[in-house]
Amino acid sequence: MPTKSHNNPINQWAEDDRPREKMLLKGKNALSNAELIAILIGSGNTEESAVQLAQRMLDTANNNLIEFSKLSIEELSRFKGMGKAKAVSVIAALELGKRRIAEKVVQQSKITCSRDVYDLLLPDLSDLYYEQFFVLLLDRANKVIRKINISQGGVAGTVADPKKIFKLALDHNASSMILAHNHPSNNLKPSDNDIR
């Protein structure tokens, strides 16, 4: 059987080199991100294998899965060999991964440090190009009663109504609350409006 080469499609690679077979033989941890994406897309194009196509797409996001997950169906579809159906499969897989993290965090919903808040809100606030504002309502033991999306705005701001926030806290008998929102610009410094 031929070994993997630059021009051979996956079905002509040695079994050990094919992503599906490699997963079956060596397990999921043995695969690179490009190989996992190649399994989702199934085939490449006339010039490159599915793995090479996947790696080229990852390269546009600096090989960063968080940045890669921000690509839209339209952006993924622009790559030769990627139609909308393949793009939808990739986006769906990334969304499942994000939801998996969210479910795992909800099971451990006692807030003991700022990292707990980060982990709880990351699935909701990552990959966004606009600002959102969340409130976490906590009981006396710092367990999350509810996570509520108060508002979503544009790229430069969102509105959070204090009356609405305090009413929700009172309605749910919250002992404390945590307010949080994202900056799509990744600027970690709070604005004057954030501080107010």
Side-chain angles (χ1 to χ4, degrees):
M1 183 174 273
T3 59
K4 175 176 71 172
S5 79
H6 183 75
N7 295 320
N8 288 346
I10 290 174
N11 64 4
Q12 292 179 6
W13 289 4
E15 269 193 30
D16 196 42
D17 294 328
R18 292 187 218 161
R20 284 185 186 88
E21 286 78 0
K22 186 174 179 180
M23 183 182 280
L24 290 169
L25 289 171
K26 298 183 177 182
K28 61 187 178 186
N29 293 330
L31 276 69
S32 69
N33 291 339
E35 289 170 321
L36 290 168
I37 293 168
I39 289 173
L40 293 170
I41 64 176
S43 62
N45 56 50
T46 54
E47 287 93 34
E48 54 194 353
S49 69
V51 174
Q52 291 164 331
L53 173 58
Q55 187 58 61
R56 189 162 57 86
M57 290 190 300
L58 279 168
D59 288 344
T60 65
N62 298 317
N63 286 305
N64 182 305
L65 285 176
I66 293 172
E67 291 302 312
F68 182 71
S69 68
K70 293 179 183 179
L71 296 175
S72 67
I73 292 169
E74 290 72 26
E75 289 170 317
L76 288 174
S77 298
R78 288 186 198 128
F79 288 92
K80 184 177 179 184
M82 284 291 292
K84 288 202 189 248
K86 288 182 182 182
V88 165
S89 294
V90 170
I91 301 256
L94 292 166
E95 181 61 23
L96 276 173
K98 199 163 103 172
R99 291 181 187 187
R100 177 184 175 271
I101 293 169
E103 287 185 14
K104 179 181 168 193
V105 171
V106 166
Q107 293 169 1
Q108 163 209 37
S109 58
K110 183 173 180 176
I111 304 297
T112 60
C113 62
S114 60
R115 181 67 193 205
D116 293 339
V117 176
Y118 173 84
D119 289 341
L120 184 63
L121 293 176
L122 180 66
D124 297 295
L125 295 175
S126 64
D127 308 339
L128 298 177
Y129 292 105
Y130 52 89
E131 289 195 8
Q132 289 200 23
F133 194 99
F134 275 82
V135 175
L136 296 179
L137 301 176
L138 309 176
D139 67 12
R140 290 188 62 182
N142 280 346
K143 289 189 178 174
V144 177
I145 299 168
R146 272 201 71 193
K147 174 176 70 170
I148 304 167
N149 183 344
I150 293 294
S151 69
Q152 61 184 34
V155 294
T158 189
V159 176
D161 183 354
K163 290 178 190 172
K164 182 178 179 182
I165 293 169
F166 285 114
K167 182 176 186 321
L168 286 166
L170 292 169
D171 289 347
H172 289 89
N173 294 317
S175 295
S176 60
M177 61 182 157
I178 296 171
L179 310 176
H181 89 94
N182 64 319
H183 285 174
S185 65
N186 292 323
N187 181 2
L188 299 180
K189 185 178 178 187
S191 68
D192 291 340
N193 284 337
D194 291 340
I195 293 166
R196 281 196 296 274

